[in-house]
Amino acid sequence: MSELVLIANAGDGSISALRLHRGDSPRLEVLETTSGLPGCGTFAVDPDRDLVHAAYKGDQPGIATLRLDRATGALTALSRTDVEHGMTYLSLAHGGTVLLGASYGGGLGQVWPVVHDEGSARLGEPTAEVRFANLHCVVPASAEQGTVAYFVSLGDDLVAQFTLGTDGALTALDPATVAAPSGSGPRHLVVDGDHAYLVTEFSGEAIRHDRAADGSLSSAESVSIVDPRHGLQHSRLGADPTQEHLIWGADLHRAGGWLVTSERSSSELASIPVDASGRLGAPVHFTPTQQQPRGFNVTSDGRLVVSVGERSTEAELLRVEDDGSLTSLSAAGIGRGPNWVRIVG
């Protein structure tokens, strides 16, 4: 069994494609690197159509739609769409027919239809737009009453929640927003059935939310993701965590019975237990990883982690042990400034 791992290298403006080999000695094999995507730090994968929608920056930021060759890892450009502000997070909904984006710098969330022509694909005109300060994430998820899109605003300390129609229209839920702790800097969100888990950048917390039938969130318990041995202090918007020794939370993903999170000042991954009810416990392991781990991901079976660091040029493969500890298995060379990882089964 093998999967493809795609990694955005913002420093090189490229996407690396690697083969993840299973077996007795799991390893990563570098296949191909696709350039021409300046500052690329996010992309969304449509595995059914072998399409990748990748954001890039520059004088004219945009989103490139590319064809993925699973055998070689090569990405071939099909179309490019200009956007007003560079996108920080992209995700797909409704079977790959709707693309959602969040722009941190623009404080803007947008929705586009994906038009699938014979042998090609492109983005249509935006169908919806929302504005919140420093949007960092947008995640669509199914609910009993339809599809919901969650926009996470780091600057406004909230998660905005909308129903997402197949036509790309957004309709605010009631309530329209869910507050995060003041000054916590909510950053990334993952949805897991009846729960959603949020990681904060400035306070270094993982916060569980319960999901109602309509997809609306209500906050529950929170736990720290920060190793107390490092003495990191609460951060704030505009601060330099590396100079002031501050918390710098980044990403999170489910890995079986664990929630794994990353913190960049310590360059560590935390393993947080999740019980049968979805409740979070205190972290039980902190594992050193690549320097400044903005992004990582977990295989669909929850057994392997692929971690990268903004100040590293390697992708690290780790195994999730039964006790939640992470064992480093191997590494492979990639580009500069890697910060986004997606695994294609």
Side-chain angles (χ1 to χ4, degrees):
M1 176 183 179
S2 67
E3 296 107 307
L4 275 179
V5 178
L6 301 179
I7 298 171
N9 307 301
D12 288 341
S14 67
I15 295 177
S16 296
L18 301 88
R19 181 78 64 194
L20 170 55
H21 296 279
R22 300 278 191 150
D24 294 336
S25 301
R27 63 184 178 88
L28 295 168
E29 175 195 5
V30 179
L31 297 179
E32 183 68 69
T33 300
T34 301
S35 58
L37 301 164
C40 180
T42 182
F43 56 82
V45 181
D46 179 350
D48 294 332
R49 298 180 180 86
D50 289 338
L51 294 176
V52 174
H53 303 279
Y56 54 90
K57 300 178 181 178
D59 292 337
Q60 178 55 68
I63 299 171
T65 297
L66 309 112
R67 175 78 65 196
L68 171 64
D69 185 327
R70 293 201 186 210
T72 66
L75 292 167
T76 304
L78 299 177
S79 62
R80 290 184 179 243
T81 301
D82 293 345
V83 297
E84 181 182 0
H85 300 284
M87 290 292 146
T88 305
Y89 202 111
L90 293 176
S91 53
L92 284 163
H94 293 307
T97 63
V98 174
L99 181 70
L100 302 96
S103 172
Y104 181 91
L108 174 71
Q110 287 186 297
V111 183
W112 301 266
V114 183
V115 182
H116 298 106
D117 299 322
E118 186 174 349
S120 189
R122 59 181 175 83
L123 301 186
E125 292 298 316
T127 56
E129 180 180 299
V130 299
R131 289 187 179 271
F132 296 93
N134 306 111
L135 278 173
H136 215 301
C137 172
V138 56
V139 175
S142 297
E144 291 182 23
Q145 300 175 12
T147 298
V148 177
Y150 302 103
F151 289 85
V152 180
S153 168
L154 181 145
D156 288 332
D157 289 319
L158 59 80
V159 180
Q161 46 193 11
F162 303 84
T163 58
L164 174 67
T166 55
D167 60 354
L170 293 173
T171 304
L173 293 178
D174 184 14
T177 63
V178 179
S182 179
S184 62
R187 182 181 171 90
H188 281 184
L189 181 86
V190 294
V191 176
D192 183 34
D194 294 335
H195 307 285
Y197 301 95
L198 178 70
V199 69
T200 65
E201 179 168 332
F202 301 148
S203 62
E205 298 171 85
I207 306 172
R208 178 173 68 90
H209 294 74
D210 294 321
R211 299 179 72 223
D214 65 352
S216 59
L217 303 179
S218 55
S219 57
E221 78 283 347
S222 66
V223 299
S224 174
I225 69 166
V226 182
D227 188 339
R229 294 174 296 179
H230 298 301
L232 298 171
Q233 301 300 306
H234 196 294
S235 190
R236 64 193 184 280
L237 192 65
D240 185 340
T242 61
Q243 294 298 314
E244 300 183 50
H245 200 58
L246 303 177
I247 294 169
W248 205 7
D251 205 2
L252 79 169
H253 295 280
R254 276 299 298 267
W258 306 93
L259 185 70
V260 181
T261 64
S262 65
E263 198 288 315
R264 285 175 285 181
S265 289
S266 61
S267 296
E268 287 183 341
L269 301 174
S271 300
I272 299 167
V274 183
D275 70 15
S277 70
R279 186 176 181 84
L280 299 173
V284 296
H285 294 285
F286 295 97
T287 304
T289 188
Q290 300 300 299
Q291 192 171 5
Q292 211 166 291
R294 181 181 186 272
F296 70 98
N297 218 310
V298 177
T299 53
S300 60
D301 60 4
R303 300 304 301 171
L304 295 170
V305 173
V306 180
S307 175
V308 300
E310 291 174 297
R311 299 182 66 184
S312 170
T313 55
E314 289 189 324
E316 183 179 10
L317 184 63
L318 305 100
R319 182 172 59 236
V320 182
E321 307 294 356
D322 291 341
D323 65 354
S325 60
L326 304 178
T327 301
S328 183
L329 302 176
S330 61
I334 48 175
R336 294 182 301 114
N339 57 16
W340 189 269
V341 182
R342 290 295 179 262
I343 300 171
V344 186

